[in-house]
Amino acid sequence: MALRFIGIDPNTGGGNCPAVWVDEERGEIVLQGWKADEATTARTRQDSPLPDSEAVIRLPVRMAEIVRKALDDAEGSSS
């Protein structure tokens, strides 16, 4: 697996932090975030089913630049 680290929450103080990687082989974004609470998860299920192989996570908006970079990088690696 060719995961390339893109960035971590800029307000982090250590471990257990939201982070972003690009899987260059698969052309996918890999996200580590805070698990959504049951109310959030239940609300998302109203719009989209949630199979056991998926999860709802939260990322702070302050990570938008990091996520954009990952998307741009992944798009470039899959072309």
Side-chain angles (χ1 to χ4, degrees), residues 11-29:
N11 287 4
T12 186
N16 301 322
C17 308
V20 180
W21 296 261
V22 171
D23 183 331
E24 295 177 328
E25 290 176 1
R26 296 180 70 160
E28 296 176 348
I29 306 301

Side-chain angles (χ1 to χ4, degrees), residues 16 27-28 32 40 42-43 47 51 58 69 72:
N16 301 322
E28 296 176 348
Q32 173 189 348
T40 302
R43 174 56 188 89
D47 301 314
R58 290 182 173 269
K69 178 176 179 8
D72 290 346

